Amino acid sequence: MFKSKLFISLMTFIFFMILTSIIKNQTRLLEKNIVKANNEINIIKFDLYETQLDYYYLSSPEVLISRINEFSSENYVAMDHSKIYLNIQDFLNEKYKSTKKFNEKKK
Amino acid sequence: MKNISQQKNLMRKKNKKNKQYNINQRSFHFKDYLASNVRTKKLSAEHISEDRIYVLFFFFFCLIFIFSLKITLISVQETKSSLKNYSNSKFFSPLRRDIIDRNGILISRNILAYHAAVKPSLIKNKDRFILNVKLIFKDISSENLKKKLEKDKYFYLKKGLSEYEKKKLWALGEKGLIFESFQSRVYPQSNLYSHIIGQVDYENNGISGVEKFFDNDLRNSRFIDEPLRLSLDTNLQHIIKDELYKSLEIFKAKGAAGVLMNAKNGELLSLVSLPDYNINQRSKISDINFMNKITKGVFELGSVFKTFTIALALDEKEIQPDTLIKNIPKKINCSKFTISDIKEFPENLTVEEILIRSSNIGTLLIARKLGEDRIKSFLSKLNLLDTLDFQIDEVGTPLDFNWEKCKLETIAYGHGITTTPLQAATAYASLTNGGYLIKPTILKKNESVFNEKIISNETSKKLNKILRKVVTDEEGTASLADIDGYSVAGKTGTSKKYRNDKNLNTFISVFPSNNPKFVLLVMLDEPDAAPKLEYNYRGQKIKNIYRNEAGWNAAYVSGKIIKKIGPILAINSKEFNGKYVAKKSR
């Protein structure tokens, strides 16, 4: 009887011992992964930080215009106020009006 | 006897409490005693065993709880840092906040850079080292380098290396070469904001411009991940700069400047002063032509001041736009000076005609009606006489003058009085936005706060109508700024520089004139006439124009700028709608 109680206590102890070591090990692994991921994030953050700078330099108006002049022969001109439509229906109405006028003149 | 019976009763009561007591038992047996003792022992052994299990449970529960807590804490901390500190890492933590424009485009940022230092004791072959360094840095003197190497003391070979220079030096493989890291401030827009942003020193202290004015804010580690947002717009800034650069070539001007302001809240959308410089390069600039002409330059701006005189007279109800000023003389002698107009005007002019044609004598007569005190007080209220309260330190102070003989008369048409272009543009914004006094700002505002009224809404509307006619009227001086669709209004100003008798031409425009939202000032320093330039003047192409007034250059440049920035401004302020566009294109 006494032995069986001791056995139960020991078994409980061993069970929890194993459980705790598994959890501890998992925690350690998780921590390791977290540290590793953190390092990777830091590297990516730093890369992003510097790449953003490159992006803003390369997309600055001055650089873009010099690139356009270098690689394209097209001339870009400012768009007139009257040629800007924010709505396709306005554009179609306007085109319809001008076509109508043109057809009337033709007749 | 009594005592004995009491004792018996007590015994009986005690025995009743004992569960194993048998009331019918007449005698005590040793066998029974042994059995009850074994039962008690058994019970206590069971209790001990249970307690042990409880202790074990508790102990392991605590351990598991601690580990769980640890995991939770780690995950919470990580979530916080990864969400917020995008630039803060163990690799690099900036010492200054970023500066961005109103659309979030990066203007200024700290990066990791290197100084090249030398430990002479570690360099074996000094002659070869000098030769190699000379091949990389041609501007370094070999003799000086030799002397420094002989002294055997640690010294800097070059501060602030470029990536290319660092690689070249690294490739030398010299042990004595030390790369000292430091944080360098980089400006990806290079020249674009040179006069506003300013610079920092090698210790990351702001030494000029926004970098200096907001130094404490920019170095505040609590907000290191929140960039400082300015009101400036990179695209607008580039367009204005580009047009001003072209104007330098066309009119052979010594310098040019432009400022675009939100007339409602004083936000600066663009501030350009030419010539400019690359703020990424450290060099000493001593030429005064490189100063910030908009905030630091103090100039006599000429006829743009006539608007102030007319505005005050209208607000004081001394005149109305259609009031006829009769018998305007051709010349007026004032003290030792003779005041005249640049060309002959009719003898009788209405008030609006005086501003449209820019008559000096007509304005002078109106100023005399107002008197010195009222004009002085009005100019002072418009903040034209004192140093402007602005968010960079490079701000000029208008020159002091005495209100003596003839001062009222000359000031009425903008001579003998100086101010900065930014002050003049701010005054125009205040007069045309309904009469609300505004303060220029370089920081993005979320809402407009109107404090003080400088003129009535009615006067402001009247003034806007006259300024519109300056651009549209046949006799107006700024026809070249009349860009279809934007209802441009404004006033030209041509003045002579005392030093060399050359022109300083200014045009201050406001648009759209029915409800001004933007003020654009364009100034050309010492421009020449451009006879080869083909002007589109009131629908006609004309050439061989030898005139050099503001209407023929500053207004022309303003028109070019408005044509380009207009659509951007209109789209940004949701100005376009179907009906409006359809109407305009008929």
Side-chain angles (χ1 to χ4, degrees), chain A residues 22-62:
Chain A
I22 290 167
I23 292 170
K24 171 78 181 90
N25 196 39
Q26 286 299 316
T27 318
R28 197 180 59 84
L29 282 174
L30 270 174
E31 264 188 284
K32 212 176 159 184
N33 286 340
I34 287 166
V35 169
K36 201 180 157 190
N38 208 14
N39 275 340
E40 281 168 9
I41 289 167
N42 278 327
I43 293 166
I44 294 166
K45 267 185 193 174
F46 189 62
D47 277 353
L48 175 71
Y49 187 76
E50 292 209 324
T51 312
Q52 272 180 340
L53 197 72
D54 291 343
Y55 164 74
Y56 284 114
Y57 169 70
L58 293 170
S59 64
S60 67
E62 210 166 328

Side-chain angles (χ1 to χ4, degrees), chain A residues 20 39 42 45 49 52 90, chain B residues 60 85 89-90 109-110 578:
Chain A
T20 315
N39 275 340
N42 278 327
K45 267 185 193 174
Y49 187 76
Q52 272 180 340
D90 296 333
Chain B
F60 285 109
N85 307 337
S89 69
K90 66 177 180 181
R109 172 169 277 185
N110 267 31

Side-chain angles (χ1 to χ4, degrees), chain B residues 237-264:
Chain B
Q237 178 85 357
H238 174 74
I239 291 170
I240 294 174
K241 188 190 142 190
D242 194 42
E243 283 303 323
L244 288 176
Y245 253 120
K246 283 179 191 165
S247 77
L248 289 184
E249 283 174 26
I250 296 169
F251 300 105
K252 309 266 183 296
K254 188 182 157 195
V259 62
L260 178 69
M261 182 191 280
N262 183 327
K264 302 283 182 194

Side-chain angles (χ1 to χ4, degrees), chain B residues 157-168:
Chain B
L157 185 68
K158 199 185 175 193
K159 283 189 168 182
L161 293 175
S162 69
E163 197 58 36
Y164 175 77
E165 288 168 340
K166 194 193 159 212
K167 275 181 187 168
K168 282 269 179 187

Side-chain angles (χ1 to χ4, degrees), chain B residues 321-330 341 344-354 357 359 361-362 365:
Chain B
D322 54 359
T323 307
L324 194 69
I325 311 285
K326 290 178 180 172
N327 303 322
I328 301 172
K330 303 289 170 220
D341 282 318
E344 217 170 274
F345 294 133
E347 240 181 27
N348 303 327
L349 289 172
T350 61
V351 169
E352 67 173 23
E353 280 173 340
I354 285 172
R357 292 168 184 252
S359 162
I361 298 177
L365 295 175

Side-chain angles (χ1 to χ4, degrees), chain B residues 250 480 529-547 552 556:
Chain B
I250 296 169
L480 292 169
K532 286 180 186 171
L533 179 68
E534 192 178 70
Y535 290 102
N536 189 355
Y537 188 77
R538 298 186 194 287
Q540 281 186 320
K541 302 268 182 203
I542 53 168
K543 251 182 157 183
N544 294 322
I545 303 294
Y546 286 88
R547 294 184 66 175
W552 293 96
Y556 168 82

Side-chain angles (χ1 to χ4, degrees), chain B residues 41-211:
Chain B
K41 272 186 179 176
K42 196 179 159 188
L43 277 171
S44 69
E46 273 175 8
H47 282 143
I48 289 167
S49 182
E50 272 177 21
D51 287 349
R52 275 181 195 153
I53 292 168
Y54 289 148
V55 168
L56 278 176
F57 260 105
F58 180 72
F59 176 71
F60 285 109
F61 176 77
C62 286
L63 275 178
I64 292 164
F65 179 74
I66 288 166
F67 291 134
S68 314
L69 202 71
K70 196 179 171 186
I71 293 171
T72 316
L73 278 175
I74 289 167
S75 62
V76 169
Q77 277 172 358
E78 271 313 294
T79 316
K80 269 186 186 171
S81 67
S82 60
L83 279 175
K84 279 192 87 184
N85 307 337
Y86 78 97
S87 60
N88 261 328
S89 69
K90 66 177 180 181
F91 294 100
F92 181 74
S93 178
L95 294 172
R96 288 177 83 81
R97 290 161 68 187
D98 289 348
I99 299 176
I100 57 170
D101 82 343
R102 65 185 300 114
N103 304 317
I105 293 174
L106 189 73
I107 294 175
S108 177
R109 172 169 277 185
N110 267 31
I111 59 153
L112 202 62
Y114 296 90
H115 296 313
V118 178
K119 255 186 186 174
S121 57
L122 295 176
I123 290 170
K124 285 180 184 171
N125 191 339
K126 287 176 182 167
D127 289 332
R128 199 182 69 185
F129 177 72
I130 293 168
L131 198 69
N132 283 334
V133 168
K134 189 71 188 164
L135 284 171
I136 301 167
F137 304 114
K138 281 170 187 157
D139 53 333
I140 288 180
S141 151
S142 306
E143 283 175 18
N144 280 347
L145 186 61
K146 198 172 182 180
K147 276 179 195 168
K148 281 180 184 173
L149 287 170
E150 279 165 5
K151 277 183 189 169
D152 218 23
K153 277 184 185 171
Y154 187 88
F155 68 92
Y156 286 106
L157 185 68
K158 199 185 175 193
K159 283 189 168 182
L161 293 175
S162 69
E163 197 58 36
Y164 175 77
E165 288 168 340
K166 194 193 159 212
K167 275 181 187 168
K168 282 269 179 187
L169 280 177
W170 189 264
L172 294 180
E174 278 289 351
K175 274 186 186 174
L177 258 175
I178 315 289
F179 293 100
E180 262 187 29
S181 68
F182 77 105
Q183 284 200 19
S184 174
R185 197 76 166 154
V186 174
Y187 306 92
Q189 310 293 337
S190 56
N191 291 36
L192 199 59
Y193 292 109
S194 53
H195 287 99
I196 316 160
I197 301 301
Q199 283 179 311
V200 297
D201 61 13
Y202 282 121
E203 278 73 45
N204 271 284
N205 300 308
I207 50 171
S208 59
V210 169
E211 295 279 17

